Amino acid sequence: MGVTCRILWVEAAQGCPWRLGRGMVLGARITSGSGRQYLELELGRGALLVRERMDREALCELSPSCFLSLELVIEQPIEVHNVEVEVLDINDNAPRFPRQDYRLEISESAVPGARFHIESAQDPDVGTNSVQNYLLSPSRHFALDLKGFQSGSKLLELVLQQTLDREQSALQQLVLTAVDGGDPPKSGTAQISVRVVDTNDNPPAFDRSTYTVSLLENSLPGTLVVKLNASDPDEGSNGDVIYSFGSYTPQKVRQLFTVDPHSGEVRVNGTLDYEEASSYEIYVQATDQGPVSMAGHCKVLVNIVDANDNAPEVELTSLYSPVPEDARSGTVVALMSVTDQDSGLNKQVSLRIPPGLPFTLNSFKNSYTLVTQGKLDHEKAAAYNITVTATDSGSPPLSSQKVIHVEISDINDNPPRFEEPVYSVYIPENNPIGAFLCTIKATDPDVAKNAHVSYSLLDGEIEGLPAASYVSIKSDSGNMYAVRSFDYETLREFQVIVQAQDAGIPPLSSTVTVYIYVVDENDHAPQILYPTSTNTSAALEMIPRSAYAGYLVTKIIAIDGDSGQNAWLFFSLVQTSDPGLFRIELHTGEIRTTRKLGEDSTPTFNLTVEVRDNGEPSMSSSVSITIAVVDRVSKIIPDRRRHFKSPSNYSEVTLYLIIALSAISFVFLFTIIGLSIIKCYRYSLYGSLKVQPHFIEVRGNGSLTKTYCYKACLTAGSGSDTFMFYNTCGPTGTTGPSAVVTERHLTGQSGQSAQNLIILRNDSITPNEVRLPW
């Protein structure tokens, strides 16, 4: 049989003893049905101790009373006793609201007395330790009604005591405090945020009732006139303002101005004119977007300011064009008038033209004249585009431009000018009649008939004949042609004067000298002067039987009517009865023995010698020679077959040889004298020319000397007037200059070319220096 004992225990107590009777302690133990042992029994003293801290709120939650049920078991004999331990509450918990923040939205149109529910605070303590009172932070708009709380309700009521105004206070912050009855008391707080919901209770209002603006009359469309500012203290759509013209705004004003509905900017939309209206009144209203819209009004007074908005205008009343290029300075070219619709300084206009033109402006009031200044030249400028700029005195100044096209008429003030100072033409001899020589070209910077050039030959003589019998020229093209076939051996060079004349009135002309050089062609075969033979007999030469190797048998003397390389002669044996006995010098024509004659040699030898020039193609001549071998030259008896009839024939041959040698010497001397005369004549004729081509020809006859043809260009102040020539003929066995080959193509206006070839071969010669004065 058990005994129930009730023990009062404070929930915060720990380790406090509760003693049992001594007899009950032996073999006693404590059991708990909750599974957790908050209490334990100390057998030695018989004390009931708190094993761990107890939390009444955790054990019993919100129950007003809290008990722990235990069993005390005693052995020997077994006894079971029920023990109830009451856990008493202490104020160990502060009040706590379900939420820390409460958000309320209350329209500003709410009337006083309106109630708004708020959850109450909770305190796990019981009795007087639980929530006993609520406090609200001071507010003139809200109060706290605690009647429901006192009657046991868990909701509190917030009462509106005064009308709200969002424009004055859009958000109100309140603090609600819950206080328990503990000692000392504990409290908890919650934040109450009251957002005042707007209503459309305010109309838009402009910052000024009248806006006064000054605007230039030349303001462009889009120019900002004024930016209006209307404010509405409401929020949301109730505070969104739209701008528009008021009903009192005239239609004309609506066409000249615009109002931006959102920004309130008033801008120019048309063309303003001070002369049409000096001011405009614009009525503008601002309307909010509330359910029942409200509007505010203002007036914009726009004063138009006169501006320099008219540019001056230049009117061309008279134009005298074209103007002759020989017009005197001050000649009137154009008459102009200037107008400006503005007044005052804006109407005062000045004109100007670009600098550097041969024109100037003269003014008289609003009339202007454009006159020439300086000399005009059609060849430099055939026309002028004169830009006349008119500028008024406004601020800023305005200007306009007028382009006047003035043409300059040409007069015949320029003679034709040749493209070359002189013309040099090279044409081969034996040319066909009518062969093209060259084209003479002259230009005239004038225009029309003043620039039409015709060509003609001036009267002159060549070798006693008119120049027109040698060449002709086409008057329209300037093409020059040969009238006859030229012969280099007869006429080597000549000159004609060509005149170019324009068709102006009076005509102007100029002349140019054309030098025509005849280029040699190989049209003459070599002529053998010695020895001579006929078709029926050969030339006879004698050699003694005792002649040694290198003995001079005879010398072939030949000449060529051509010049230059065409007159260079080359000698060769083309036929001989004994090929190994005789040889001939290539350039001199000397025939010599190659070995000593034998006692048993034949009494006669037959040779055929060919003389060939260096032309292209080359030409040649040949001579047959019979060489008789005699013991003594004076006792030789000619063979009748060889036409040696008597000793008198030998005397005749000697006489012919002397005559031939004398003639050749005379020709050579005459050539030297002729060259000197020609040189003096050319020097007197062309000595003043800066550059002038000349041909110098030193020519001889065949094997006596060689013929050379030189072209020289003399310049004034060259410092030298001497040419050096070399005669390559000399005794056998001497050394001469090394071979030098120089080739030059000379091309004239005719497009044809001539060739001069100078060859110095390495012959066994000694150079003899010859100086000819130039």
Side-chain angles (χ1 to χ4, degrees), residues 753-769:
S753 64
Q755 185 182 43
N756 289 338
L757 181 64
I758 301 174
I759 302 178
L760 300 179
R761 283 184 168 78
N762 189 12
D763 298 331
S764 298
I765 57 175
T766 299
N768 295 325
E769 186 176 283

Side-chain angles (χ1 to χ4, degrees), residues 209 244-255 257 259 280-285 295-300:
S209 60
S244 62
F245 285 113
S247 58
Y248 296 104
T249 304
Q251 186 63 30
K252 178 62 176 178
V253 176
R254 295 173 184 263
Q255 295 175 356
F257 301 94
V259 177
Y280 296 93
E281 290 184 353
I282 307 173
Y283 295 92
V284 181
Q285 65 179 9
H297 299 84
C298 75
K299 181 176 71 172
V300 180

Side-chain angles (χ1 to χ4, degrees), residues 353-369:
I353 60 175
L357 297 178
F359 300 95
T360 186
L361 287 171
N362 294 330
S363 63
F364 179 74
K365 294 184 178 180
N366 288 333
S367 297
Y368 292 83
T369 58

Side-chain angles (χ1 to χ4, degrees), residues 487-501:
D487 185 6
Y488 176 81
E489 286 71 31
T490 303
L491 180 64
R492 299 187 179 184
E493 65 176 85
F494 61 92
Q495 65 185 35
V496 295
I497 298 177
V498 176
Q499 174 181 270
Q501 180 175 290

Side-chain angles (χ1 to χ4, degrees), residues 555-557 569 571 584-590 703-704 729-730:
K555 179 180 176 68
I556 307 300
I557 301 175
L569 302 181
F571 302 87
I584 188 169
E585 292 292 334
L586 178 65
H587 300 293
T588 63
E590 295 178 349
S703 58
L704 293 182
C729 298

Side-chain angles (χ1 to χ4, degrees), residues 306-325:
D306 187 23
N308 185 25
D309 57 345
N310 293 289
E313 296 181 359
V314 179
E315 182 180 357
L316 181 64
T317 57
S318 298
L319 177 63
Y320 305 98
S321 178
V323 180
E325 63 176 329

Side-chain angles (χ1 to χ4, degrees), residues 692-709:
Q692 178 62 44
H694 293 273
F695 281 101
I696 303 175
E697 181 176 316
V698 180
R699 56 179 300 180
N701 292 297
S703 58
L704 293 182
T705 182
K706 291 187 178 180
T707 302
Y708 298 89
C709 183

